[in-house]
Amino acid sequence: MKFCRFCGTKEIQFRKSGKFGCVHCAQIFNFPKPNRKTKIQENKIKNLESFLKTNTNSIQLLSFRTRITRNLKSSLFPYYDPMIDKSKQLLVENGLGFDLVQDTDFSFENSVGDFEPRTGFYLGSEDHIRWEVITPHSLTNGNQNLLWEKKKISIFRFLFRNSLWAKLPGIGFVSSCPSNLGAGRRDSLLLGLDPEVVSEFFSILQTLSEFGIEFAPSTDHRMRNIGKDRVLVVKISWKNALAVQKRQFYKILGLLGSY
């Protein structure tokens, strides 16, 4: 039976938990590799564009979310050691200590049910550090202030500093979950759909699943009232999207230029 000589994780442990114990596990255990197709076929894009144009009044873009995960370089992963103190120290040293939040502090909505921007770092759950930002649709097209833009640049520089994080040649950043290998990034959208268009919309999205697009009714919202309408809130997410794929997909939804 295979096992990792660096952290001691056995193959049976990996199969059961689905999590790496250290950066070297990614070179030892077998796991499904991410799809690397670089372009969505034109006919599939046109089908989605046509549907969205025809049903403009039945679809509302609510918010955009980005999540980036990182594990510390030369350290055991949270499966064995969450490294909370070391991660906190790293955030403080890089001027990001004030962005540390608790899970209960991070929400899509405020007390009256409106979407508000949220950003912050989590520590030691699945990965040593996880950064998330949720942006309402009203702020995704250049309406964010200059202070936030500067802060975002400093956060991205921190998250992509190779000297800090677990990383392997030919793979990229190594997260605890194999499906996050590469950029360690997941983007997602929340859409409000009128019930009569849900079935057709889902059937179109199924044709894009080979590119890593996942979709389902949002467990956070399911059905909710938006204005006078009762809509199904749907979450569409995409892990480690290549730039050309993101440009194709998000341009259709009016998000070109978002992160």
Side-chain angles (χ1 to χ4, degrees), residues 15-35:
R15 298 298 171 204
K16 185 176 181 179
S17 69
K19 302 293 186 293
F20 295 135
C22 72
V23 65
H24 304 286
C25 289
Q27 296 175 309
I28 295 170
F29 300 121
N30 295 321
F31 53 89
K33 302 300 189 293
N35 192 299

Side-chain angles (χ1 to χ4, degrees), residues 219-238:
T219 55
D220 297 323
H221 301 88
R222 298 187 186 278
M223 298 293 295
R224 60 167 284 178
N225 294 318
I226 297 181
K228 297 180 180 180
D229 302 318
R230 184 74 171 166
V231 301
L232 176 68
V233 177
V234 176
K235 181 178 181 180
I236 303 174
S237 60
W238 201 340

Side-chain angles (χ1 to χ4, degrees), residues 136-148:
H137 176 46
S138 60
L139 298 179
T140 57
N141 291 308
N143 297 322
Q144 301 180 49
N145 61 48
L146 183 60
L147 182 62
W148 164 240

Side-chain angles (χ1 to χ4, degrees), residues 144-182:
Q144 301 180 49
N145 61 48
L146 183 60
L147 182 62
W148 164 240
E149 290 299 322
K150 289 182 177 179
K151 182 177 181 179
K152 187 173 67 176
I153 291 172
S154 67
I155 289 173
F156 271 63
R157 284 176 176 168
F158 171 69
L159 291 170
F160 285 88
R161 195 184 309 164
N162 293 338
S163 61
L164 298 178
W165 313 115
K167 192 175 183 182
L168 289 172
I171 293 179
F173 295 103
V174 180
S175 300
S176 297
C177 180
S179 63
N180 284 333
L181 293 181

Side-chain angles (χ1 to χ4, degrees), residues 71-111:
N71 282 311
L72 299 173
K73 188 174 185 178
S74 304
S75 299
L76 293 174
F77 286 3
Y79 182 79
Y80 291 110
D81 190 346
M83 305 288 287
I84 298 294
D85 291 339
K86 186 174 181 179
S87 298
K88 282 183 180 179
Q89 181 182 352
L90 189 61
L91 288 174
V92 171
E93 289 174 351
N94 286 273
L96 299 170
F98 292 107
D99 296 294
L100 181 61
V101 297
Q102 302 296 322
D103 282 358
T104 54
D105 296 332
F106 207 77
S107 173
F108 284 100
E109 298 174 271
N110 62 20
S111 59

